[in-house]
Amino acid sequence: MLFITIGIYSCDPPKLVAPLANEDIILNDVSFGTDPAQKMDVYLPKNRSINTKVIIYIHGGGWFQGDKGEIKEGAVYFQQQGFVFISLNYRLTRTAQHNIHPAQVQDIESAINLIIAKKTEWDISGGKLAFWGGSAGSHLSLLYAYKYNNDKKIKAVISTSGPTDLTDTALINSSIGGQSIGDMITDYIGEPLSANPQAWKDASPINYISAASVPTMFIHGTADSAVPYAQSVAAFQKLQAAGVPSFLEPLPNIGHSLQGINWADILPKVINFVNTYSQ
């Protein structure tokens, strides 16, 4: 298996060499904006074509930490299964730049636009795009897919341990690693719930579920003490009531970190979901 980064040039004159469609290729730190955080890693599978499906992964970390490299092993797995896998960074909260909502949504939009613009160069589909997020990344995936995905660029979304209702008291009062989830949401929105409850509602994916929502798969541990399992259940039930193809994969006795999860059972279901609904 041959891995090549984006910095490959011919000798005379300097020129970017287009990726070869018969090679497995990794393009690291592809910029989709001017901020150092606006970068993505692109895993292109061999034998790809304009019909090759694309999974866009959005990392977790309470909106204030995390990195696209956390999914590297999983990205290579999906690349070997014939998918394009793209892992995004985005502007984080708790920085001097005060990157609050909707900065992260804007970053996602910019990344999608670049992916579509590169479809010919990378020899991939520009229309068979699916989201997959983890924790806060799941929230961003769901929010974009339900609220901002007006032209249906994103065909399907997978949420792993993601919050769906930011105003839920059980979520606000929970914590992880000694840090309050409520404080993380406040930093993400820029104001506490008491000061601007409408902003918290407006940033809650569950409030945008309708019959037009994209197919969704929820993967969530029933013992999650940071983001209650009930968050995924509520969104799943609302999607079901709206007639949207939706699936809930409860992980018995699994917590927020997903330690102990049987990926051998889950990953085939993820692949089937993407193949079925990312059309």
Side-chain angles (χ1 to χ4, degrees):
M1 183 178 295
L2 178 63
F3 296 112
I4 308 174
T5 64
I6 196 169
I8 301 178
Y9 296 88
S10 60
C11 296
D12 185 25
K15 182 181 179 182
L16 186 64
V17 175
L20 300 176
N22 62 345
E23 304 279 5
D24 282 325
I25 296 174
I26 299 176
L27 308 177
N28 290 309
D29 293 327
V30 177
S31 294
F32 55 86
T34 57
D35 191 281
Q38 295 168 324
K39 288 184 170 63
M40 58 187 174
D41 295 337
V42 181
Y43 298 75
L44 300 172
K46 61 184 177 182
N47 301 322
R48 61 191 174 276
S49 72
I50 60 172
N51 294 315
T52 301
K53 295 178 173 62
V54 180
I55 299 174
I56 303 171
Y57 182 79
I58 304 176
H59 71 75
W63 303 278
F64 74 94
Q65 62 182 0
D67 184 79
K68 57 186 172 56
E70 70 182 32
I71 197 68
K72 183 176 179 63
E73 183 178 348
V76 171
Y77 169 84
F78 278 96
Q79 180 188 41
Q80 293 173 345
Q81 300 301 311
F83 294 90
V84 174
F85 196 95
I86 299 176
S87 185
L88 304 184
N89 272 356
Y90 49 88
R91 286 172 290 173
L92 300 171
T93 63
R94 299 184 179 177
T95 67
Q97 292 76 28
H98 196 49
N99 299 320
I100 61 172
H101 174 71
Q104 297 76 18
V105 169
Q106 292 167 349
D107 287 350
I108 292 169
E109 178 73 16
S110 295
I112 292 171
N113 288 340
L114 180 63
I115 292 165
I116 294 173
K118 290 284 189 180
K119 65 180 182 179
T120 301
E121 178 183 337
W122 292 347
D123 198 15
I124 65 174
S125 170
K128 299 181 179 182
L129 310 179
F131 270 156
W132 190 358
S135 192
S138 289
H139 162 264
L140 294 173
S141 298
L142 294 169
L143 183 62
Y144 185 93
Y146 297 163
K147 183 178 181 180
Y148 298 96
N149 190 29
N150 296 322
D151 50 7
K152 291 295 187 291
K153 295 174 184 175
I154 302 302
K155 307 300 185 185
V157 59
I158 304 161
S159 169
T160 307
S161 310
T164 62
D165 183 359
L166 302 185
T167 68
D168 178 39
T169 302
L171 175 68
I172 294 169
N173 292 336
S174 65
S175 63
I176 185 169
Q179 297 203 56
S180 163
I181 301 296
D183 288 347
M184 294 179 195
I185 302 172
T186 297
D187 292 336
Y188 168 68
I189 298 295
E191 296 178 274
L193 178 62
S194 58
N196 196 343
Q198 190 60 49
W200 287 51
K201 292 178 182 177
D202 289 346
S204 295
I206 197 168
N207 293 327
Y208 300 95
I209 290 174
S210 71
S213 295
V214 299
T216 306
M217 180 179 186
F218 297 96
I219 304 169
H220 208 136
T222 62
D224 192 336
S225 61
V227 178
Y229 171 67
Q231 288 266 309
S232 287
V233 172
F236 167 71
Q237 291 176 341
K238 192 170 182 179
L239 286 162
Q240 288 277 292
V244 177
S246 46
F247 308 88
L248 178 62
E249 291 292 331
L251 308 174
N253 304 314
I254 296 294
H256 192 70
S257 68
L258 301 183
Q259 185 175 358
I261 184 175
N262 181 7
W263 284 111
D265 178 58
I266 296 297
L267 290 179
K269 297 177 182 179
V270 170
I271 289 173
N272 181 65
F273 174 78
V274 174
N275 279 332
T276 301
Y277 295 104
S278 184
Q279 301 290 349

